[in-house]
Amino acid sequence: MVRVQVPATTANLGPGFDCLGMALKFYNIIEMAQVSSGLSIEVHGEGVQDITRDESNTVYRAAMHLFKQVGFVPAGLRIRLLNNIPVARGLGSSASAIVGGLVAANVLSGNKVSPRELLTMASQLEGHPDNVAPALLGGVIISAIVEGEVRYVKIDPPPGLKVVVVIPDFQLSTRAAREVLPQHVSLGDAVFNLGRAALLVAALQQGRLDLLATAMEDRLHQPYRASLVPGMKKVLAAARLAGARGVCLSGAGPSIIALADSNTELIARVMKDTFRESGIPARALVLEPSSIGARALEIKSRIS
Ligand SMILES: Nc1ncnc2c1ncn2[C@@H]1O[C@H](COP(=O)(O)OP(=O)(O)O)[C@@H](O)[C@H]1O
Ligand SMILES: N[C@@H](CCOP(=O)(O)O)C(=O)O
């Protein structure tokens, strides 16, 4: 049996659409064992109502993808999912399922796939690398697809940086939140995001928290997604006023994050209250970046 711990992730960080993401100290656990026959999937915690327990399950599909690549045919599989990451809230639940499934399957089939190949496989299954890279490797990851492979650099966010995450009480699938995006953007908007994404990476590397307010601005996806997240603009503004260093939509939304080094409880309360004023109940978590990505623990025993 193998037990894999995978962190939640917050992608884009504002301007880094599909290329920036950060791992958070907030985890899902995926347990997988080879059994004599059949498939059984147990789901605990988040997603009990939503996550399928048959061959369409994302963890199972990722695992079978890897098994096929290495020519391993499991007799049967038992999967147990212990979920903390809320589903379809912009905190990388699908990335955690894909990475967890791949890493667990790799251990069960003799670790034939390198971390680099795992990353490319995960990115292909997810469709973009920004969540799966920090889910697998931890830290803040800058990634790009180059000739079908993921190239990346990992940086550690500044010490003491906190991530206030406010999670509205409704789901927004990444697919739906991508459908509202335009296929073409203006040169002006592209240049706006390029400058900010570059500033953001430098600011995180050099601990320049004073730059985050500007460096986390975006014109490529957030303006289009605002209509899907009632209160989004007000929550972003309220978090800034309460002392956040930088604010943005988390992934495709609907969660919103604020990066801060103080006043985190106040920022969380103000963001939640502002969502509530727009008719959206929300909960808040104050998290830290995780420098560690997916971790596997193999437990050698027979399961009947
Ligand atoms: N723990 C999990 N186990 C299996 N599948 C999961 C899990 N969490 C999420 N998923 C799958 O991912 C989908 C949500 O993905 P997505 O819309 O990208 O949202 P998110 O922003 O949370 O990644 C779910 O509908 C489900 O199919
Ligand atoms: N770059 C993607 C990130 C999606 O992240 P998720 O956590 O919402 O799955 C996007 O913005 O669509």
Side-chain angles (χ1 to χ4, degrees):
M1 197 265 267
V2 57
R3 179 177 297 145
V4 183
Q5 174 183 279
V6 190
T9 49
T10 180
N12 302 326
L13 299 173
F17 182 73
D18 278 3
C19 63
L20 284 183
M22 181 196 286
L24 301 171
K25 287 188 179 165
F26 191 61
Y27 304 96
N28 275 0
I29 306 282
I30 290 106
E31 291 180 352
M32 196 179 286
Q34 194 183 185
V35 291
S36 53
S37 67
L39 168 66
S40 76
I41 300 178
E42 263 179 52
V43 183
H44 300 272
E46 294 289 339
V48 169
Q49 313 289 339
D50 316 287
I51 292 169
T52 55
R53 292 168 174 74
D54 56 18
E55 292 182 358
S56 67
N57 181 279
T58 306
V59 172
Y60 173 77
R61 284 163 63 103
M64 293 310 289
H65 180 84
L66 185 135
F67 288 147
K68 198 169 167 198
Q69 299 291 316
V70 300
F72 181 84
V73 183
L77 277 184
R78 185 154 111 185
I79 296 173
R80 243 178 118 227
L81 305 173
L82 312 172
N83 296 334
N84 284 311
I85 307 173
V87 174
R89 299 305 211 296
L91 292 168
S93 75
S94 60
S96 83
I98 290 168
V99 167
L102 290 176
V103 170
N106 198 30
V107 172
L108 288 185
S109 55
N111 281 310
K112 297 199 174 79
V113 180
S114 69
R116 196 173 142 171
E117 289 169 308
L118 278 179
L119 177 56
T120 293
M121 252 184 222
S123 171
Q124 283 165 351
L125 292 175
E126 175 80 341
H128 39 91
D130 50 346
N131 288 110
V132 292
L136 186 65
L137 304 161
V140 172
I141 307 264
I142 302 111
S143 55
I145 311 278
V146 182
E147 291 169 4
E149 275 197 23
V150 181
R151 292 281 169 82
Y152 72 90
V153 171
K154 172 177 170 175
I155 60 173
D156 283 319
L161 187 74
K162 298 279 192 292
V163 186
V164 179
V165 182
V166 179
I167 308 164
D169 196 9
F170 71 94
Q171 296 190 345
L172 172 59
S173 77
T174 303
R175 186 196 291 174
R178 290 177 86 84
E179 273 167 10
V180 299
L181 302 182
Q183 288 303 307
H184 301 280
V185 297
S186 71
L187 183 62
D189 286 352
V191 171
F192 182 97
N193 267 53
L194 279 173
R196 276 147 184 89
L199 264 184
L200 178 56
V201 172
L204 290 172
Q205 231 167 357
Q206 296 183 10
R208 292 284 307 276
L209 302 188
D210 58 304
L211 289 175
L212 293 183
T214 300
M216 289 174 69
E217 290 174 334
D218 162 75
R219 282 194 189 162
L220 293 188
H221 66 105
Q222 292 185 183
Y224 306 98
R225 289 170 164 169
S227 62
L228 304 175
V229 185
M232 182 187 107
K233 286 184 186 159
K234 286 183 184 161
V235 175
L236 293 172
R240 278 190 211 103
L241 271 180
R245 296 294 202 144
V247 292
C248 65
L249 199 60
S250 184
S255 297
I256 292 181
I257 62 158
L259 299 188
D261 54 348
S262 60
N263 296 329
T264 50
E265 294 303 326
L266 173 69
I267 295 167
R269 199 172 64 242
V270 164
M271 290 171 77
K272 257 191 330 185
D273 289 349
T274 310
F275 258 131
R276 197 166 302 122
E277 282 160 20
S278 299
I280 306 292
R283 64 189 152 121
L285 300 168
V286 179
L287 301 175
E288 288 175 17
S290 171
S291 55
I292 296 165
R295 280 199 297 195
L297 175 68
E298 194 176 359
I299 300 161
K300 299 245 184 216
S301 67
R302 254 183 188 288
I303 297 185
S304 56

